[in-house]
C-alpha cells in the first residue's frame, strides 16, 4: 500500500467537502424544481431529475481537475457551474426531458447561485474558523 503525502492528506477533506457541496447543490436544485412543480420528493425521482446535471458537474470537475483548487470561485466554480448547466441540459434533452427556455434560464441562475454561492462564502467561514483557532 502506498502512503499519501501529508500535504495531499491535509487537502482531502477540502476536496471531499467541496465535491459534496457541489453534488448537494445540484440535488437541492432538482428537489426544489420537483417540489415547485408538484412532482414529489421521492429520492429516486430527485436523483433521476438531478442525474444529467450531476454528470455535467462531475465532468466539469474532471476536465478542470477541480481537486487542485476545489473551493476557488474562478476558474473552478465557474467551470463546474457551466458544465453542470450546458452538459446537464444537453443530456436532459437527449433523454427526452423538457427544455423550455424558462427552464434553461432558471437552471442557469439557480445552479449559478448554488455552485458559486458556497464558494463566495467559503473565505468567510475559513476566516472565522482560523480566528477561533488563534483566540
Amino acid at each position: 500500500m502506498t502512503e499519501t503525502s501529508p500535504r495531499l492528506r491535509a487537502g482531502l477533506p477540502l476536496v471531499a467537502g467541496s465535491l459534496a457541496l457541489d453534488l448537494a447543490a445540484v440535488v437541492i436544485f432538482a428537489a426544489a424544481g420537483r417540489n415547485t412543480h408538484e412532482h414529489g420528493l421521492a429520492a429516486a425521482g430527485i436523483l433521476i431529475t438531478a442525474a444529467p446535471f450531476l454528470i455535467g458537474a462531475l465532468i466539469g470537475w474532471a476536465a478542470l481537475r477541480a481537486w487542485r483548487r476545489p473551493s476557488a470561485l474562478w476558474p473552478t466554480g465557474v467551470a463546474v457551474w457551466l458544465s453542470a448547466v450546458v452538459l446537464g441540459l444537453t443530456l436532459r434533452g437527449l433523454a427526452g426531458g423538457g427544455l423550455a427556455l424558462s427552464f434553461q434560464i432558471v437552471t442557469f441562475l439557480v445552479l449559478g447561485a448554488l455552485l458559486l454561492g458556497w464558494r463566495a462564502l467559503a473565505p468567510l467561514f475559513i476566516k472565522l474558523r482560523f480566528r477561533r483557532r488563534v483566540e
Side-chain angles (χ1 to χ4, degrees):
M1 181 181 343
T2 62
E3 295 223 12
T4 58
S5 71
R7 182 175 169 204
L8 179 60
R9 247 180 290 137
L12 288 178
L14 177 62
V15 172
S18 298
L19 179 59
L21 284 170
D22 280 346
L23 298 180
V26 173
V27 170
I28 289 167
F29 158 73
R34 289 182 62 82
N35 189 47
T36 299
H37 297 287
E38 300 178 7
H39 292 299
L41 294 177
I46 292 169
L47 288 177
I48 288 168
T49 301
F53 304 98
L54 290 169
I55 292 167
L58 290 170
I59 290 172
W61 260 76
L64 191 68
R65 295 186 215 165
W67 53 87
R68 294 182 300 177
R69 294 185 59 213
S71 64
L73 192 59
W74 173 261
T76 307
V78 172
V80 171
W81 166 44
L82 295 177
S83 293
V85 171
V86 173
L87 297 174
L89 288 171
T90 301
L91 291 170
R92 179 181 168 93
L94 290 172
L99 292 176
L101 180 59
S102 59
F103 176 71
Q104 293 177 47
I105 292 168
V106 168
T107 299
F108 181 79
L109 295 174
V110 173
L111 284 178
L114 293 172
L115 293 170
L116 299 178
W118 76 259
R119 285 180 170 88
L121 296 173
L124 299 173
F125 288 104
I126 291 168
K127 267 186 192 174
L128 288 173
R129 185 174 179 206
F130 180 73
R131 184 178 296 161
R132 272 197 243 146
R133 282 186 180 177
V134 172
E135 293 174 351

